[in-house]
Amino acid sequence: MAQSSTTKEGVAGARQASQGELGYFKTNFDRVNHAQRTLQQLRSHSTPLDKYVFLSGLKARDPKLFYHLLSQNLAEFTPLVYTPTIGAACQNYSKIYQRPEGLVISYKDKGRIKDVLQSWPYKEKARIAVVTDGSRILGLGDLGVNGLPISLGKLDLYIAGAGIRPLSTLPICLDVGTNTEVHLNDPLYLGLRQTRISPNEMKEFMQEFMQAMREVFPKLLVQFEDFSTDNAFYYLDQFRNRYRCFNDDIQGTGSVILAGFHNAAHIASSAPQGPDPRDHKVLFYGAGSAGIGVAKQVMSYFLNLGMSEEEAKARIWTVDSKGLIYQGRSGGLYKHKEYFARRDYSGPPIKSLLKIIDYVKPTALLGLSTQKNAFTSDIVTRMTELNPRPIIFPLSNPSSLCELEFSDAVKWSKGQVLYASGSPYGNVEFEGKTYEPGQGNNMYVFPGIGLGTILSSANRVTSKMIERAAISLAGSLTEEEKQAGLIYPRLERIRDVSAEIALGVIRQAQEEGVDGAKRLRDLDDTGLRNYAREKMWNPPQPIAPVIPSKL
């Protein structure tokens, strides 16, 4: 199943519709008013999912208008095309499906995956693909082929956030079955009606897929998205040094949270009686691919302070559904959890998060557990008692799985919390003061990582390129944003932020010698930043048609 969400047919159809409207409505129709009309139509829908369906249809019939409205109304549109609405879109995809979008590579295509990829109509234009197997969509579990909208949504944000051209994007879902009975029993389900293939079958399938991707799309960057935890780590390790790829759940999430933690730690350490920067303790509640990936990135904060790897690792504690993770815990540990397992604890299991906080006395609590409201008033109160400015990042997506609402965080900490969530929240009024939430959304980094990798023609995405993206994001706040106490820049400046991140990613690629576009080495930082901005695609502005005076 192959079709671009911005096909030539779609663009041509939109053009014919415009001409038809001009032909029928010669006096009152113009594209500027039509943009406002479309916004009113969108806002007339009552539920976020209905709005998602409307926008999906708009993208098919008038992609230029869709991307114009997306870029001009980013704060309003982002929660609709990505989290939190994208979760509901994925859960209901087989029911709301309207037309083919992107590529679905089925396990039945094994042995001829290259032929399927060759069917993509824009092979020469393709520069970035978002690939999911639907096995762990957000915190919603195994959705099978219903996970395709996560790839569509991420690529919309590449377009809006970094100016990647629509026809350069390639959404892909690998349909290798699902273990979720409700989908297998759904008569409308679009995917294979079988349980997931075995690990060995998956390994063979992925090897063929990645080799075929390189042969068909030699200039393509692959972003892995929402693979199950074990597979996310395994395939990143397998492919990161062989292909141009990265995993957004592990590396992108880690990068954006590292940036937010860097700024939050600075604010906390600057507060009266705040901790020394080297004395921060970070407690992770949730130890899946995102949790461990973020923990490994946050280690960079301590490493950059001159600490050794062991010293940096000792500043991090991890918690899963069985409690504190430590060496020798009964029942054993999954391999990806072993790195941060404590070696300085040998007591009985500690399962209560509140008791773990009393034991660790963390300065920062980060949630990647997908456990709604896991951070209770007792936990927030205790964190505030331990710290003058407690750092609390409830990062689980969508918002229905968030560990702590922003309004509760402000109220229970009496306004002292340094907060960032994975999904957006509105401002909160508390005791006569307005508090503005931070959003540790991957959208801040992955568009810039993609843009920088593409422009530099890097042959791979290195760990230091990901870390450089975090450093660039942390340093991208304006003076006004710093004065407002923000830890992330405002979303409306995403293209400025992406240009800054692209600059950092390109420079890091150059320093490591993995860049292919050697000519960019001759540009100074100002020139390179401007180059990145100039390369961003901008959707055309709606303009009023010229009406002939005589017909």
Side-chain angles (χ1 to χ4, degrees):
M1 179 165 68
Q3 182 171 324
S4 168
S5 59
T6 54
T7 61
K8 293 178 181 177
E9 290 79 7
V11 174
R15 185 181 300 115
Q16 290 169 1
S18 177
Q19 291 170 347
E21 289 155 345
L22 177 58
Y24 286 104
F25 301 103
K26 298 181 179 64
T27 56
N28 292 325
F29 178 85
D30 69 65
R31 297 285 289 173
V32 176
N33 285 342
H34 187 54
Q36 294 303 311
R37 177 184 296 111
T38 303
L39 273 178
Q40 290 183 17
Q41 291 170 351
L42 169 69
R43 292 164 181 167
S44 71
H45 291 280
S46 58
T47 71
L49 185 59
D50 287 341
K51 292 179 180 181
Y52 175 89
V53 173
F54 175 84
L55 289 175
S56 179
L58 175 63
K59 183 165 63 173
R61 64 182 177 268
D62 197 342
K64 292 181 179 179
L65 180 57
F66 169 80
Y67 287 115
H68 167 74
L69 292 176
L70 174 62
S71 65
Q72 296 298 308
N73 302 273
L74 204 55
E76 178 180 359
F77 276 45
T78 297
L80 299 176
V81 302
Y82 194 53
T83 57
T85 308
I86 200 68
C90 289
Q91 289 176 307
N92 293 279
Y93 186 59
S94 289
K95 297 179 177 64
I96 65 174
Y97 172 83
Q98 296 177 332
R99 67 193 185 285
E101 298 175 279
L103 279 174
V104 176
I105 311 294
S106 164
Y107 184 64
K108 295 185 181 299
D109 296 321
K110 188 175 183 294
R112 62 181 195 95
I113 292 176
K114 183 177 178 180
D115 294 335
V116 178
L117 295 177
Q118 290 279 12
S119 70
W120 187 249
Y122 313 109
K123 292 186 290 294
E124 297 302 317
K125 297 179 182 294
R127 293 295 181 271
I128 188 161
V130 174
V131 179
T132 186
D133 71 344
S135 57
R136 192 195 60 82
I137 298 297
L138 301 172
L140 304 173
D142 180 0
L143 302 186
V145 79
N146 286 340
L148 179 60
I150 204 75
S151 295
L152 298 167
K154 273 287 174 72
L155 289 169
D156 282 340
L157 298 186
Y158 271 107
I159 295 165
I164 306 297
R165 292 180 179 275
L167 294 184
S168 296
T169 65
L170 174 53
I172 296 179
C173 185
L174 305 177
D175 185 9
V176 291
T178 178
N179 293 332
T180 303
E181 287 293 326
V182 68
H183 300 314
L184 293 174
N185 296 330
D186 181 359
L188 298 180
Y189 181 61
L190 291 164
L192 291 177
R193 295 183 182 278
Q194 66 174 60
T195 56
R196 287 193 171 269
I197 59 179
S198 70
N200 286 335
E201 290 172 322
M202 185 68 175
K203 290 175 184 176
E204 293 180 3
F205 182 80
M206 288 296 294
Q207 292 289 348
E208 179 186 348
F209 170 72
M210 289 301 290
Q211 180 61 33
M213 287 284 279
R214 178 157 61 188
E215 293 176 8
V216 177
F217 308 107
K219 298 180 180 180
L220 194 72
L221 167 65
V222 174
Q223 176 191 310
F224 295 117
E225 183 74 19
D226 284 354
F227 281 65
S228 64
T229 297
D230 289 344
N231 280 346
F233 281 103
Y234 177 79
Y235 291 115
L236 178 61
D237 289 341
Q238 285 290 303
F239 298 137
R240 66 193 306 172
N241 293 321
R242 296 164 51 194
Y243 300 99
R244 188 185 294 112
C245 65
F246 73 104
N247 184 298
D248 187 54
D249 303 301
I250 297 172
Q251 296 169 290
T253 302
S255 181
V256 76
I257 302 310
L258 171 59
F261 177 78
H262 178 281
N263 289 338
H266 175 75
I267 295 173
S269 293
S270 300
Q273 299 181 325
D276 183 87
R278 297 171 63 91
D279 291 337
H280 280 286
K281 298 178 182 179
V282 189
L283 179 62
F284 284 86
Y285 185 67
S289 59
I292 299 301
V294 171
K296 288 183 176 180
Q297 288 292 337
V298 168
M299 267 185 66
S300 298
Y301 169 82
F302 298 104
L303 293 172
N304 290 335
L305 293 175
M307 300 171 74
S308 69
E309 180 179 348
E310 288 302 312
E311 289 172 330
K313 187 166 63 172
R315 311 309 298 173
I316 292 173
W317 285 256
T318 54
V319 177
D320 62 9
S321 59
K322 297 180 181 179
L324 181 69
I325 297 175
Y326 59 94
Q327 289 287 340
R329 192 177 73 176
S330 61
L333 298 173
Y334 286 109
K335 183 177 179 180
H336 72 274
K337 298 181 182 182
E338 292 175 355
Y339 183 78
F340 287 108
R342 301 300 299 188
R343 293 166 174 79
D344 55 0
Y345 181 80
S346 57
I350 312 178
K351 295 185 178 181
S352 163
L353 179 57
L354 188 58
K355 290 181 179 179
I356 294 171
I357 290 172
D358 282 334
Y359 169 70
V360 175
K361 294 180 173 54
T363 60
L365 174 62
L366 276 65
L368 297 107
S369 67
T370 69
Q371 299 297 311
K372 177 69 174 177
N373 295 330
F375 297 168
T376 62
S377 60
D378 288 344
I379 286 170
V380 175
T381 299
R382 185 61 179 138
M383 285 292 295
T384 307
E385 291 170 349
L386 291 169
N387 305 283
R389 298 298 307 273
I391 301 169
I392 304 179
F393 288 7
L395 299 168
S396 292
N397 279 320
S399 52
S400 60
L401 302 177
C402 183
E403 292 87 356
L404 178 64
E405 301 280 329
F406 181 51
S407 57
D408 290 335
V410 172
K411 179 174 64 176
W412 295 337
S413 71
K414 301 188 184 307
Q416 297 306 302
V417 69
L418 294 166
Y419 178 99
S421 59
S423 290
Y425 285 99
N427 293 350
V428 167
E429 298 287 334
F430 178 74
E431 295 185 350
K433 183 178 178 181
T434 300
Y435 292 84
E436 193 170 344
Q439 185 185 354
N441 194 313
N442 294 22
M443 182 186 177
Y444 279 115
V445 292
F446 68 75
I449 292 172
L451 180 63
T453 303
I454 292 169
L455 294 181
S456 67
S457 298
N459 57 40
R460 57 192 176 93
V461 181
T462 69
S463 295
K464 287 188 177 296
M465 289 164 67
I466 300 294
E467 182 181 336
R468 189 72 167 264
I471 294 171
S472 299
L473 173 59
S476 68
L477 275 71
T478 64
E479 284 303 316
E480 185 274 330
E481 289 167 338
K482 293 176 184 178
Q483 290 299 317
L486 302 187
I487 55 178
Y488 289 106
R490 293 193 174 91
L491 196 60
E492 290 79 5
R493 294 199 308 108
I494 185 61
R495 288 211 169 184
D496 291 334
V497 174
S498 293
E500 200 66 35
I501 292 173
L503 167 62
V505 168
I506 294 169
R507 288 296 188 228
Q508 188 62 46
Q510 292 170 348
E511 291 173 16
E512 295 186 78
V514 299
D515 60 315
K518 306 297 185 185
R519 69 189 184 282
L520 299 185
R521 295 185 177 190
D522 296 330
L523 297 177
D524 62 16
D525 284 356
T526 300
L528 189 53
R529 187 183 295 107
N530 291 338
Y531 175 79
R533 286 304 304 258
E534 290 167 2
K535 287 295 182 180
M536 293 181 179
W537 176 79
N538 291 296
Q541 297 287 326
I543 58 174
V546 177
I547 308 297
S549 57
K550 294 182 179 180
L551 298 176

